[in-house]
């Protein structure tokens, strides 16, 4: 797995001390908003303009992350065989995946899949799909790209919609990219993490807790106040089931952790529930602090941060877990093995 995160956009506000967020980056700056003052009002028909803007900017942002991931991978872009692209910020076909393939000069036979509206679980889903593709197609090299722009669903405050304020307070823009493959080529490819096993769980009867819908005024998203507690009640079962499936018994504090920082409360709940030491969620908290919740792209930033922490010797665990949460409520869980540890065995 080769990882790279990318931020195009301009720096945004500081949303307050309780959020755990110090800065975020957004494409929709004051100038653009000045040109589209109707974006502030979700009752006005702005979807066409938002989709036009996103159709240009989403693949460009993805391309800058992907170009860096490909450069670090060390092989030419033409060696990419598959592309899995996740975004909630689209709304037309051909989609951002085709434009990204063209911007990167991928081969015309590249096999493309777009994941749309998977929200914050999209990064986990895209990585699991890439794992399946890589393991089942000899020599496959899968480019995973997640690119999110909040402009598709940014509104001003509205009476009775506290979740809009929550969204404006925690969401940010960003893109991440990863190259996934099996059987690395010696001396050229230097894997970072092995994706050992992955599961997807849907929490029963929670389909109304995180929702998004394309409306004439933009992407209308709703995140209920119950989300952190629902995750807290279900996460440990997912972890136990996942580790039992591969016959590994794990002490939570002996693992490294890449939890999607959907909000500060979610990280607090996970830390408390699993009895994790304060450093265990440091990568997730840093990404939340520096970039906010960039939906699907966020777990890629967390993995990127984790590999930096590993390089500095701040995280030494051999096995780890990545978790991402999105509409469903869907929990994507993946057991990871640090590639440096593989070589030592
Ligand atoms: C950092 C927060 C936002 C605030 O923390 P706090 O400052 O300690 O304050 P409170 O938690 O006590 O909340 C302050 C107020 O906000 C209210 N509130 C608190 N969450 C809410 C609420 N979801 N609604 C509506 N009022 C609320 C809460 O009731 C309270 O109201 P009040 O008592 O009247 O002051 C914290 O609540 C927090 O981290 N919440 C979790 C955020 C969360 O659920 N994140 C989403 C995870 S899932 C995801 O990321 C998917 C996104 C997605 C993206 C794109 C897609 O296409 C699809 C999906």
């Amino acid at each position: 797995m080769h990882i790279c995160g990318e931020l195009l956009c301009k720096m945004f506000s500081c949303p307050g001390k309780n959020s755990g967020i110090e800065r975020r980056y957004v494409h929709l700056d004051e100038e653009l908003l000045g040109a589209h003052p109707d974006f502030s009002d979700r009752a006005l028909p702005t979807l066409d303009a938002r989709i036009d803007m996103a159709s240009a900017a989403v693949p460009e942002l993805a391309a800058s992350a992907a170009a860096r991931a490909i450069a670090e991978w060390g092989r030419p872009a033409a060696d990419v065989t598959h592309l899995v692209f996740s975004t909630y910020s689209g709304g037309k076909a051909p989609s951002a995946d085709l434009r990204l393939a063209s911007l990167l000069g991928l081969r015309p036979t590249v096999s493309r899949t777009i994941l749309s509206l998977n929200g914050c679980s999209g990064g986990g889903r895209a990585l699991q799909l890439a794992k399946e593709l890589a393991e089942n197609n000899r020599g496959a090299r899968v480019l995973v790209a997640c690119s999110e722009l909040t402009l598709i669903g940014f509104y001003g405050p509205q009476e009775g919609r506290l979740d809009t304020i929550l969204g404006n307070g925690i969401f940010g823009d960003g893109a991440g990219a990863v190259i996934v493959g099996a059987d690395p080529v010696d001396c050229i490819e230097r894997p970072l993490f092995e994706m050992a096993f992955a599961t997807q769980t849907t929490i029963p009867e929670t389909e109304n807790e995180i929702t998004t819908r394309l409306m004439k005024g933009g992407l209308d998203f709703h995140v209920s106040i119950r989300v952190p507690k629902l995750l807290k009640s279900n996460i440990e079962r997912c972890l136990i089931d996942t580790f039992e499936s591969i016959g590994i018994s794990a002490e939570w504090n002996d693992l490294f952790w890449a939890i999607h920082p959907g909000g500060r409360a979610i990280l607090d709940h996970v830390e408390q529930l699993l009895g994790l030491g304060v450093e265990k969620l440091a990568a997730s908290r840093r990404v939340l602090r520096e970039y906010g919740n960039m939906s699907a792209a966020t777990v890629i930033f967390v993995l990127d941060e984790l590999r930096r922490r590993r390089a500095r010797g701040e995280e030494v665990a051999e096995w780890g877990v990545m978790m991402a949460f999105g509409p469903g409520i869907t929990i994507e869980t993946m057991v990871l093995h640090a590639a440096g540890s593989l070589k030592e065995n």
Side-chain angles (χ1 to χ4, degrees), residues 4 6 61-71 100 104 143-145 176-179:
C4 207
E6 183 70 6
L61 185 57
S64 38
R68 284 172 55 188
I70 289 168
L100 174 64
L104 295 173
L143 170 62
V144 169
V178 177
I179 301 284

Side-chain angles (χ1 to χ4, degrees), residues 12 41 84 155 186 202 205 207 209 225 283 293 307:
F12 197 3
D41 185 346
V84 181
Y155 313 103
D186 276 349
T202 310
E205 293 171 24
E207 57 266 39
E209 304 294 336
I225 194 169
N293 176 350
R307 60 103 170 239

Side-chain angles (χ1 to χ4, degrees), residues 147-223:
S147 180
E148 309 286 26
L149 292 186
T150 48
L151 66 84
I152 197 84
F154 174 87
Y155 313 103
Q158 184 187 336
E159 189 74 34
R161 293 297 305 259
L162 269 178
D163 54 353
T164 298
I165 297 176
L166 174 109
N168 289 349
I170 67 174
F171 290 123
D173 298 355
V178 177
I179 301 284
V180 177
D183 303 323
V185 178
D186 276 349
C187 307
I188 301 176
E189 298 179 305
R190 290 158 290 107
L192 298 167
F193 297 105
E194 181 196 13
M195 296 190 273
F197 188 69
T199 60
Q200 184 190 68
T201 306
T202 310
I203 307 176
E205 293 171 24
T206 57
E207 57 266 39
N208 295 322
E209 304 294 336
I210 304 175
T211 60
T212 52
R213 185 177 172 188
L214 280 166
M215 310 277 279
K216 66 175 183 185
L219 187 75
D220 195 27
F221 66 86
H222 160 71
V223 179

Side-chain angles (χ1 to χ4, degrees), residues 146 260-261 287-288 292-303:
C146 302
H260 167 63
V287 170
L288 184 67
N293 176 350
M294 298 166 290
S295 206
T298 323
V299 283
I300 297 178
F301 277 64
V302 176
L303 291 172

